[in-house]
Amino acid sequence: MGELTTLCEVNGFAIVYDQDNSESAVWPSPLKVEELIARFFNIPEVERKKKMSHQETYLTERAAKGRPCP
């Protein structure tokens, strides 16, 4: 995750749950994760959703681009 955020020049975090361990692995730190989540929710909802994509819509759009024009 550290390499991805550095290479893409983006903010990001990871929370990994393990069914055998009661504590989650958090990167970069719990405090930084809370800060990033707060920053995300401080962005107006319209702006947050502007570039969001679900897997189904993403795949549908990609398939449509691959089809020849009628």
Side-chain angles (χ1 to χ4, degrees):
M1 191 65 182
E3 290 178 12
L4 182 62
T5 58
T6 301
L7 290 172
C8 298
E9 296 179 353
V10 296
N11 291 309
F13 61 88
I15 302 173
V16 181
Y17 295 96
D18 180 357
Q19 65 184 12
D20 298 328
N21 190 348
S22 62
E23 249 182 78
S24 307
V26 180
W27 184 92
S29 71
L31 184 61
K32 184 67 174 176
V33 169
E34 288 179 20
E35 176 188 313
L36 290 171
I37 290 171
R39 282 179 53 196
F40 175 76
F41 281 110
N42 283 332
I43 298 170
E45 187 173 358
V46 173
E47 291 296 315
R48 285 195 317 247
K49 291 186 175 184
K50 190 181 286 185
K51 295 183 180 179
M52 277 190 183
S53 178
H54 298 285
Q55 184 177 9
E56 183 178 355
T57 55
Y58 172 78
L59 293 174
T60 302
E61 290 170 5
R62 294 292 296 167
K65 289 180 180 179
R67 293 185 187 149
C69 296

